[in-house]
Amino acid sequence: MSAIIRKIVTVVEETQMEMGRQVSPPTRRAAAIAVIENPFAGRYVEDLSPLIAIGEELGELLSKRAVAALGIDGAKAHSYGKAAAVGENGELEHAAAILHPKMGAPVRKVLGKGAALIPSSKKRSGPGTTLDIPLGHKDAAFVRSHFDGMEVQINDAPRANEIMVAVAVTDSGRPLPRVGGLTVAEIKGEDGLR
């Protein structure tokens, strides 16, 4: 089963100044969000494997869109994250089926690597909801400068029988980070943590 996509929205956020200080180079993050039909809206289904396959399909599609929006090679990405919001006739488990079993592998393939877990969030909500996409460094979860998040919103989604699915990618950490911890230069990238 392929995703029935109503729309795809891509957002790029670039921060050039923070508290009166120039951010150089600017920090940038992009999210690609697909609004899809929920094939199991309004009914309980034991086997969610069709949604798992949709997650794999959307992992590739959305990560490619997000990387293209940043205009970088996937290997140059720093952080990643994913999120989903199911409409009121869906279950949180529908979002989990899309996000967890198979979405990560195609995302990592587009980015060339990704030793760390891909942070995620899920919720049930209605049109215009804010989707919070957690972000973390793709190769080392302990890089504190990259603990972050991105908010996205589509004014008419998710409708009751839809699911909003998002993948976010960055080319940097937070603007002007200064709370210490492991730095990007210290990453070993072997265990996904350091």
Side-chain angles (χ1 to χ4, degrees), residues 78 137 140 143-146 172-173 181-188:
H78 279 215
H137 196 284
V143 177
R144 215 174 282 162
S145 59
H146 288 59
S172 50
L182 187 74
T183 68
V184 171
E186 296 168 334
I187 292 174
K188 293 180 182 172

Side-chain angles (χ1 to χ4, degrees), residues 34-76:
V35 180
I36 66 168
E37 181 179 297
N38 183 350
F40 302 133
R43 60 191 173 108
Y44 179 84
V45 175
E46 187 66 33
D47 179 10
L48 298 178
S49 56
L51 288 176
I52 293 170
I54 286 173
E56 185 174 25
E57 172 191 348
L58 293 179
E60 180 179 359
L61 172 70
L62 297 177
S63 56
K64 283 182 175 176
R65 294 270 184 137
V67 166
L70 289 176
I72 62 173
D73 181 79
K76 301 284 186 187

Side-chain angles (χ1 to χ4, degrees), residues 2-21:
S2 290
I4 298 175
I5 298 173
R6 179 166 67 88
K7 64 169 61 177
I8 296 177
V9 175
T10 305
V11 180
V12 176
E13 179 180 329
E14 179 174 308
T15 301
Q16 299 194 3
M17 188 167 288
E18 186 76 21
M19 299 299 284
R21 288 181 173 260

Side-chain angles (χ1 to χ4, degrees), residues 145-161:
S145 59
H146 288 59
F147 296 174
D148 203 358
M150 182 175 185
E151 286 186 356
V152 295
Q153 183 181 39
I154 299 174
N155 65 342
D156 67 350
R159 295 174 181 164
N161 295 337

Side-chain angles (χ1 to χ4, degrees), residues 2 34 86 118 148 150 163 169 175 191:
S2 290
V86 293
I118 304 174
D148 203 358
M150 182 175 185
I163 306 174
V169 175
D191 62 1

